[in-house]
Amino acid sequence: MFESGVWRAGVLHENPMAMTLGLAIGRVADGRIHAATGIGSMGLELQVVDEAQLLPPALHIPVDAARALCDALVQHFGGTSNSKQLRADYDAERARTDKLMDAVLSIAAGRTS
């Protein structure tokens, strides 16, 4: 799951009864896995672990909190968490592309006749 120097995150476990997700967040530095074991006032609390210690996950959050966090991160990084808005954006882009292709094909047809 982890490669050197790159931050990685993953859902390792879902507990439907408690409605929580078990998360792993960390990175490899100096050949060792530095995994988040908590979130404190100074940010992620990291601990050196081996892969076997990733299960069970140290971080558990409610599913509803995970959805809210996902939405906030998607919006922060310039996306949309609203699938209807995303579909509308795709449809508008497709219409624009279709119009452009019609114009290009008209020009090409005019040159070959």
Side-chain angles (χ1 to χ4, degrees):
M1 174 174 181
F2 296 105
E3 54 188 271
S4 187
V6 178
W7 282 96
R8 299 295 241 179
V11 176
L12 300 182
H13 175 72
E14 181 173 3
N15 183 337
M17 297 299 286
M19 298 195 61
T20 61
L21 297 177
L23 307 175
I25 302 171
R27 68 185 179 124
V28 172
D30 304 322
R32 300 180 302 173
I33 298 173
H34 297 258
T37 57
I39 302 174
S41 61
M42 300 298 289
L44 288 177
E45 297 167 356
L46 299 175
Q47 180 179 346
V48 175
V49 299
D50 60 35
E51 280 195 59
Q53 291 174 296
L54 292 174
L55 289 173
L59 295 174
H60 295 272
I61 62 173
V63 171
D64 290 342
R67 282 192 181 105
L69 178 59
C70 180
D71 288 347
L73 290 171
V74 166
Q75 289 173 5
H76 174 79
F77 289 110
T80 179
S81 60
N82 181 336
S83 60
K84 289 180 183 177
Q85 179 61 50
L86 192 56
R87 172 53 56 198
D89 292 347
Y90 286 152
D91 289 344
E93 183 61 21
R94 178 154 187 188
R96 188 190 71 79
T97 303
D98 288 346
K99 185 176 178 182
L100 175 64
M101 289 305 298
D102 286 344
V104 169
L105 291 172
S106 292
I107 292 169
R111 288 189 183 161
T112 58
S113 349

